[in-house]
Amino acid sequence: ALVISIPLSFCGGITACAKKGILIKGSTYLEALGNTKIAVFDKTGTLTKGNFVVSHIHATDDAITEDELLALATHTEMFSSHPISTSLKCAHHDKCCDEVKLENVEEITSKGIKAIVNGKEVLAGNTKLMNQFNIEYNECAEHQDGTIVHVACNGKYAGHIVISDEIKDDAEQTISGLKKLGVSKTVMLTGDNQRSAEIVASKLSLDKVYAQLLSEDKLRIVEELHDELAQNNKKTGKKGTLIFTGDGINDAPVLARADAGIAMGTMGSDAAVESADIIIMEDKPSKIVEGIKISRRTLRIVYENLIGSLGIKGVILILSALGISNMWLAVFGDVGVTILAVLNCLRLFSKTRGEK
């Protein structure tokens, strides 16, 4: 019983998680999940659906309509596979994309796209792109709730398009569930603008949000949070851990650095899934809360089996020393306690079935 109680309990916990659609690569990560004290999340595709939609169109040039502005941006980003480009192409406009002459398309990393559309030089991107080509843009646009795509035509600012992302249905439930389980800090990291990030963080009641980050910035912040947690663990003498949940290829270094990296398997990139220690097979962050509950039950059963087997064997040893025990009691102390440990581990599965 003493030998099998730990591996059998962890095996039961990992299997119970798998039945819930949570794949865990080892007992170390199952234990780390149960000891979570800081939960860090990526925004797009993790807490939000990652399905960008055009929410507002603002044309500032009197010579161009809102529909024409959307058409210009869509044509410029026609060959891009970026989620923002996809949302523009999905938006309705009356200008037919099949009759467009597109030339000299140049994608400028982290800024946007420059192209010649029907003889007009069009820029579509963020403020960095506008600044690079000395285009005076609308500063008020940066206060919009969402990602801003600025559009300029022939060196003149034409307007901007606001693209919004939807929060997942169970995201708020996830954050509140983590706090009920005693997670001390919830943090969101994103490459989006500060305003958009703060709106999502406010709706979900997150403790901290960091915006406009590159991949290396996310890794640096997780390192800082990990150092903060280590100091707190030293003071309290407890085993608090940091988990990170993400889905993008840029999240791979952070997933590898966290005590337990969690990838959203449905939308996650191959690099994220490969680097992660835990994979959620459904597009539901609330599965993290379920995983923590199963992990803590598993750890509780481990301790029950250890204390129970040692306690019973200790009592039998004392009785043997006093000459009271017999062979049948010794057999129970060995085989019987082993069977009790196995039955105790099976409680993990019965509880999982009951929750369904």
Side-chain angles (χ1 to χ4, degrees), residues 214-224 253-254 257:
L214 299 175
S215 179
E216 55 268 27
D217 297 326
K218 292 182 180 181
L219 184 60
R220 173 181 53 80
I221 291 169
V222 167
E223 289 279 7
E224 291 172 358
V254 193
R257 177 62 187 91

Side-chain angles (χ1 to χ4, degrees), residues 220-268:
R220 173 181 53 80
I221 291 169
V222 167
E223 289 279 7
E224 291 172 358
L225 291 170
H226 202 279
D227 291 341
E228 176 189 326
L229 181 63
Q231 293 176 2
N232 188 60
N233 289 344
K234 194 173 181 180
K235 290 179 182 177
T236 60
K238 296 180 179 179
K239 293 182 180 179
T241 57
L242 181 149
I243 63 172
F244 175 81
T245 309
D247 69 308
I249 190 170
N250 294 332
D251 297 328
V254 193
L255 287 166
R257 177 62 187 91
D259 294 316
I262 304 173
M264 307 296 289
T266 305
M267 298 184 64

Side-chain angles (χ1 to χ4, degrees), residues 15-43:
T15 306
C17 283
K19 285 188 172 184
K20 291 283 190 177
I22 308 164
L23 306 184
I24 301 179
K25 295 182 179 180
S27 58
T28 302
Y29 309 116
L30 180 65
E31 184 177 4
L33 187 62
N35 293 324
T36 301
K37 284 299 177 185
I38 297 179
V40 186
F41 296 88
D42 177 49
K43 182 176 86 70

Side-chain angles (χ1 to χ4, degrees), residues 259-300:
D259 294 316
I262 304 173
M264 307 296 289
T266 305
M267 298 184 64
S269 67
D270 292 340
V273 171
E274 181 68 27
S275 302
D277 309 307
I278 300 170
I279 302 165
I280 297 175
M281 298 308 296
E282 297 180 59
D283 191 24
K284 295 180 179 179
S286 58
K287 290 289 182 180
I288 298 170
V289 178
E290 293 184 29
I292 292 176
K293 289 179 179 178
I294 294 174
S295 173
R296 291 183 178 178
R297 284 205 302 272
T298 302
L299 294 174
R300 187 165 60 247

